[in-house]
Amino acid sequence: MSVLALKDVSYKYEGTTRVIFKDVNLTFEPGKVYTIVGKSGSGKSTLLSLLSGLDTATSGKVEIGGESLASINRNHYRRKKAGIIFQSLNLLPNATAIDNIVLSMNISGVTGIDKKARALELLEKVGISQEKANRKIVKLSGGEQQRIGIARALAHNPELIIADEPTGSLDKDTEVKVLKIFRSLAQEEGKCVIIVTHSKKVTTIADEIWGLEKGSFRQLDPSEVQAGREIIAKKGRKLV
Amino acid sequence: MYLFTNAIKNLGRNKGRNMLIAVITLAIIISTVVTLTINNAAARVVDDIRLDLGSRVSVRQDFIEMRQMGLDGRRDAQHIPLTDFVAFSESEFLRHTTFSADVLAWSDSLFAIDDPNLGEGTRVLDDGSVMNEETLRLVTISDPELLPDFGTLREIVDGRMFDGINEAVISEALAAHNDISVGDTIEIIGAYATDRMFSLTVVGIYSDATDEYLNPWITMFGLFPALNRRNEIIASFDTLLASSWETNAGLDIDFHYFLSNPDYLEAFEVEVRAMGLPFTYNVDINRAAFERVTGPLAGISSAAFTFMVVVLVLGAITLGLMSYMAVRERKYEVGVLRAMGLERGRVAIGIISEAVMIAAVCLVIGLGVGSAVAQPIANGMLSGRVAEAEAVENPGANRALFAGGQMQIGDGTAGYVPVSEIQLNLGVDIILQIIIITLGLAALTSIIGVVIITQYEPLIILRERT
């Protein structure tokens, strides 16, 4: 039973002829981590916009629990079902870390729990101290902001986590910590985690790795990714 | 609820912008409170004056109109039976009528103060008739309560106020000058109509602290005893009616017809014209006095209103521009909220709540500060206008018109002083008006942003930011 599926999805930017994807069919199941890799500008972030209901496909449909995303309330979908980690973070810069997370829970309609305590718990999980939790976002480093973005996406306990380069600004130790969280969310809580990434490390936690090239998706073998990276390292040019 | 909590937090998060909006809003509210309070109080006072002075109609011979018609004020005067004047008071447009008529008189047994001829002077008129020099003034009035100065500058010190026909009160000075006591009878004759004799019983003597001459300039040309207020003999209007004095000839009449509504003036005039009042008579309120009394109020009211309009327009433009400039900053915030799944409507509620909260705080402070400073500002403005009004020489104030045996001095403004004090009250109606204006300002500061921002899709906003 898929939690999210792309059915014959094609996408091109309005007013252009450039096709980003064509007739894409992908299925995402609960309890699995998916990573999507591809060159810069290949359309990975666009795919995440479609999956998170921020954009709509030119043709085909994105289905959530068997229902077309176009026919359901996309605000409700983002509020309740999806936790989105943006590449550009999209935090409220003048609000504190806690306020960002509590506001997200409020918007999602989370009730019956101590939201502040939950926010602090999540922040601690991603390595943000209580002192930093009370700082405004603008007073925190890029890596700290990224972790707050992750904590915010998890705050309302969504069944689907969609992340765009979630570890891009993290140091190695924190990256490992965050990846463990993603892995446990899938394995232990049955969440579906979809990550767009360039990071080799991130692909190591994936159940499925999909490569996006010239508008088509192809499932990659983990060893294939590894081989690709070695080629990059040798030739000094970026393929994946 | 969280929308309001977040709105409150947002006020602190964006202190700079919100402080600026609050300062402008507060300035607008304070100036609006001040101007509306002044306007309201001025309008209330003017309305009160309009109900009194503005509905007090006089029917008088129109000397100026007669001159313009080429008529002679005395020779061509059309005299109206006093009973007609009384009949006018039956009009359904009136709520009240007061009659007052002065007779210039002389007496061969009573010496007037300032009379150099001791009552023996005569004057030959153009038509050959002989007129005795008027030295006394018989003042008749329908209600002694309406007598000016009694209770302030004049006071009965012996006897009582007149009550019946042919009863009179005189000044202490006149009584002493002629050795008259309460109970004595005096005889006076109309100076213009020498066959009308009044035999009056003095029932009271009053002390008199008024100026001897209402228009002191008149003494520059000699002494006019009939205009000396000590020579007034005061009796009831019924005394005049009972004297078989048929018309207003030789009378200085002051008949006031109080309209039940100031707007009935035209209808009342039509009615009395239909009853035979000629066009050489003017049916009007004392406009000169009305304007003199209310002029400064109208001035400050108009200045305050103009100021309020300017402040509101400039303030609204400034707030609108600030709101527009804040759009970019808020756009990202809205993009984030929308990306988290917050609906357009809820985003709008949040933004509007912030504006309403700023406006509410400004409203409370503005009402307090505005009502505190309104009175001194009004006093300052009013005293300036009053001084201005008093500094302007009124050419009509000292004008003298002689006709039909009567003399009309001034343009009717004598004795009327501009309103120099105004009591301001912050009434419920003003508070409601201020609340409406404040809500309007809040709407202005938020709706521009809301309309612009919420029309974008979150992805577009966030892409722009990226």
Side-chain angles (χ1 to χ4, degrees):
Chain A
M1 173 68 181
S2 69
V3 64
L4 189 66
L6 300 182
K7 293 200 170 164
D8 300 322
V9 169
S10 297
Y11 186 89
K12 62 175 186 176
Y13 289 118
E14 223 175 276
T16 67
T17 52
R18 190 187 155 211
V19 176
I20 309 299
F21 340 111
K22 200 165 184 318
D23 301 328
V24 173
N25 285 286
L26 279 176
T27 302
F28 301 98
E29 290 172 4
K32 282 189 174 179
V33 176
Y34 296 85
T35 55
I36 295 163
V37 294
K39 288 179 186 171
S40 292
S42 61
K44 301 188 296 295
S45 295
T46 303
L47 175 73
L48 285 200
S49 298
L50 292 179
L51 296 179
S52 54
L54 288 168
D55 207 350
T56 49
T58 311
S59 66
K61 59 184 177 180
V62 178
E63 281 184 355
I64 173 85
E67 264 189 290
S68 169
L69 202 52
S71 66
I72 64 169
N73 183 332
R74 287 188 288 155
N75 286 321
H76 181 266
Y77 165 66
R78 284 198 298 275
R79 272 202 310 271
K80 302 278 186 184
K81 299 195 171 178
I84 306 163
I85 300 159
F86 296 94
Q87 186 175 16
S88 50
L89 304 175
N90 294 340
L91 297 164
L92 297 175
N94 290 320
T96 63
I98 290 182
D99 280 349
N100 266 277
I101 295 166
V102 169
L103 181 62
S104 165
M105 283 191 266
N106 283 328
I107 290 172
S108 301
V110 174
T111 52
I113 57 162
D114 181 344
K115 291 171 199 162
K116 199 175 169 188
R118 163 106 174 126
L120 282 169
E121 181 196 329
L122 285 167
L123 287 169
E124 198 186 340
K125 246 186 188 175
V126 293
I128 298 288
S129 66
Q130 189 165 349
E131 185 266 318
K132 284 186 177 169
N134 285 302
R135 280 196 208 167
K136 284 185 178 181
I137 296 299
V138 285
K139 305 235 167 127
L140 296 170
S141 71
E144 287 163 338
Q145 290 182 21
Q146 190 152 40
R147 281 178 272 164
I148 291 159
I150 294 165
R152 183 184 64 181
L154 307 179
H156 57 289
N157 198 23
E159 58 188 88
L160 186 64
I161 292 142
I162 302 165
D164 194 354
E165 295 288 3
T167 59
S169 311
L170 303 183
D171 58 71
K172 281 181 183 174
D173 289 347
T174 315
E175 187 181 16
V176 170
K177 196 186 267 184
V178 166
L179 290 178
K180 275 184 181 169
I181 294 171
F182 285 144
R183 188 66 229 164
S184 93
L185 283 169
Q187 228 165 12
E188 289 160 30
E189 296 181 36
K191 313 278 186 200
C192 174
V193 182
I194 304 167
I195 306 170
V196 163
T197 186
H198 280 111
S199 163
K200 175 186 163 190
K201 232 181 214 151
V202 175
T203 58
T204 61
I205 64 157
D207 295 298
E208 288 183 25
I209 304 165
W210 288 83
L212 174 58
E213 198 173 9
K214 292 179 182 169
S216 300
F217 283 88
R218 184 169 66 89
Q219 188 167 10
L220 305 175
D221 190 286
S223 59
E224 208 177 331
V225 177
Q226 180 60 25
R229 289 190 185 283
E230 280 166 12
I231 293 166
I232 297 165
K234 280 179 189 166
K235 293 190 176 176
R237 86 188 158 88
K238 203 172 180 183
L239 283 176
V240 177
Chain B
M1 185 61 192
Y2 72 90
L3 290 175
F4 299 112
T5 317
N6 190 51
I8 292 169
K9 286 187 174 177
N10 262 349
L11 295 180
R13 287 174 194 149
N14 304 298
K15 276 196 281 286
R17 182 187 67 213
N18 291 331
M19 283 293 284
L20 202 54
I21 289 174
V23 166
I24 295 169
T25 308
L26 189 60
I28 295 172
I29 292 175
I30 290 173
S31 51
T32 310
V33 169
V34 170
T35 50
L36 276 181
T37 316
I38 291 174
N39 257 339
N40 196 281
R44 200 176 56 238
V45 174
V46 170
D47 276 351
D48 287 348
I49 295 169
R50 194 164 173 254
L51 280 174
D52 178 23
L53 193 56
S55 64
R56 189 194 302 173
V57 180
S58 294
V59 176
R60 300 174 73 103
Q61 196 157 303
D62 191 342
F63 297 123
I64 295 170
E65 178 68 19
M66 287 180 76
R67 264 186 203 168
Q68 283 171 353
M69 291 165 73
L71 299 173
D72 178 79
R74 186 174 61 81
R75 193 185 59 234
D76 301 320
Q78 292 170 280
H79 299 131
I80 310 292
L82 290 179
T83 49
D84 280 9
F85 285 110
V86 175
F88 297 160
S89 68
E90 301 299 320
S91 168
E92 60 175 325
F93 300 113
L94 305 176
R95 59 184 157 93
H96 179 54
T97 312
T98 63
F99 295 110
S100 169
D102 293 3
V103 182
L104 293 176
W106 70 283
S107 172
D108 52 8
S109 58
L110 197 61
F111 300 124
I113 294 162
D114 287 346
D115 179 11
N117 304 317
L118 298 176
E120 292 173 354
T122 55
R123 183 151 55 98
V124 179
L125 302 178
D126 293 346
D127 59 6
S129 61
V130 174
M131 179 182 165
N132 288 88
E133 284 287 5
E134 59 271 20
T135 55
L136 300 164
R137 175 175 284 256
L138 172 63
V139 174
T140 67
I141 194 158
S142 56
D143 181 358
E145 293 287 323
L146 301 171
L147 279 169
D149 303 322
F150 272 87
T152 52
L153 298 172
R154 287 175 168 180
E155 197 178 342
I156 298 284
V157 291
D158 192 9
R160 59 172 173 81
M161 182 53 78
F162 62 83
D163 188 26
I165 292 168
N166 292 331
E167 289 184 349
V169 293
I170 60 172
S171 68
E172 274 183 312
L174 188 62
H177 198 54
N178 292 280
D179 195 21
I180 295 170
S181 308
V182 170
D184 290 351
T185 300
I186 54 173
E187 290 188 338
I188 56 173
I189 301 159
Y192 179 75
T194 53
D195 55 340
R196 309 289 198 281
M197 181 179 283
F198 296 88
S199 184
L200 305 168
T201 305
V202 176
V203 295
I205 294 170
Y206 59 85
S207 62
D208 194 353
T210 61
D211 290 335
E212 281 191 275
Y213 289 91
L214 200 59
N215 294 70
W217 62 268
I218 207 156
T219 57
M220 290 167 63
F221 307 100
L223 296 170
F224 291 83
L227 297 179
N228 186 323
R229 298 198 69 194
R230 304 290 180 270
N231 291 328
E232 287 179 3
I233 298 160
I234 308 172
S236 70
F237 184 67
D238 286 342
T239 298
L240 182 66
L241 287 176
S243 71
S244 74
W245 199 289
E246 289 165 1
T247 69
N248 61 328
L251 297 179
D252 180 6
I253 61 168
D254 207 2
F255 297 164
H256 291 144
Y257 301 89
F258 289 85
L259 299 167
S260 48
N261 182 322
D263 298 331
Y264 291 159
L265 176 62
E266 201 180 331
F268 176 67
E269 182 174 0
V270 168
E271 190 177 332
V272 295
R273 296 280 182 220
M275 289 170 78
L277 184 74
F279 283 94
T280 50
Y281 280 78
N282 190 8
V283 179
D284 205 355
I285 62 166
N286 188 343
R287 290 184 192 280
F290 184 82
E291 275 159 27
R292 179 166 171 73
V293 173
T294 60
L297 281 180
I300 66 162
S301 183
S302 153
F305 182 76
T306 308
F307 180 70
M308 183 180 77
V309 170
V310 170
V311 167
L312 276 177
V313 169
L314 290 180
I317 291 171
T318 312
L319 283 177
L321 283 174
M322 282 185 65
S323 180
Y324 184 75
M325 286 190 288
V327 160
R328 191 177 171 77
E329 189 185 338
R330 304 226 67 169
K331 210 167 159 182
Y332 171 66
E333 180 191 330
V334 170
V336 171
L337 295 173
R338 298 271 288 116
M340 286 195 280
L342 195 65
E343 285 103 344
R344 278 194 176 91
R346 286 175 175 267
V347 170
I349 289 172
I351 294 174
I352 293 168
S353 301
E354 283 177 43
V356 170
M357 284 173 198
I358 293 174
V361 172
C362 292
L363 176 69
V364 173
I365 300 172
L367 282 172
V369 175
S371 56
V373 300
Q375 189 69 57
I377 289 175
N379 292 347
M381 287 173 79
L382 196 56
S383 65
R385 293 278 172 170
V386 170
E388 220 171 83
E390 284 171 348
V392 175
E393 196 181 331
N394 180 2
N398 295 329
R399 182 186 62 211
L401 294 166
F402 295 89
Q406 37 178 293
M407 179 168 70
Q408 185 182 321
I409 298 171
D411 59 354
T413 58
Y416 291 102
V417 290
V419 174
S420 58
E421 265 184 37
I422 181 170
Q423 195 58 47
L424 305 187
N425 289 310
L426 189 63
V428 177
D429 50 343
I430 296 176
I431 293 175
L432 284 176
Q433 288 174 52
I434 302 286
I435 288 173
I436 291 168
I437 289 171
T438 307
L439 287 177
L441 293 174
L444 184 74
T445 52
S446 54
I447 284 176
I448 291 177
V450 167
V451 168
I452 295 173
I453 293 167
T454 54
Q455 68 184 340
Y456 289 105
E457 285 301 324
L459 187 66
I460 294 168
I461 300 175
L462 296 176
R463 262 189 201 147
E464 277 181 16
R465 170 78 170 197
T466 309

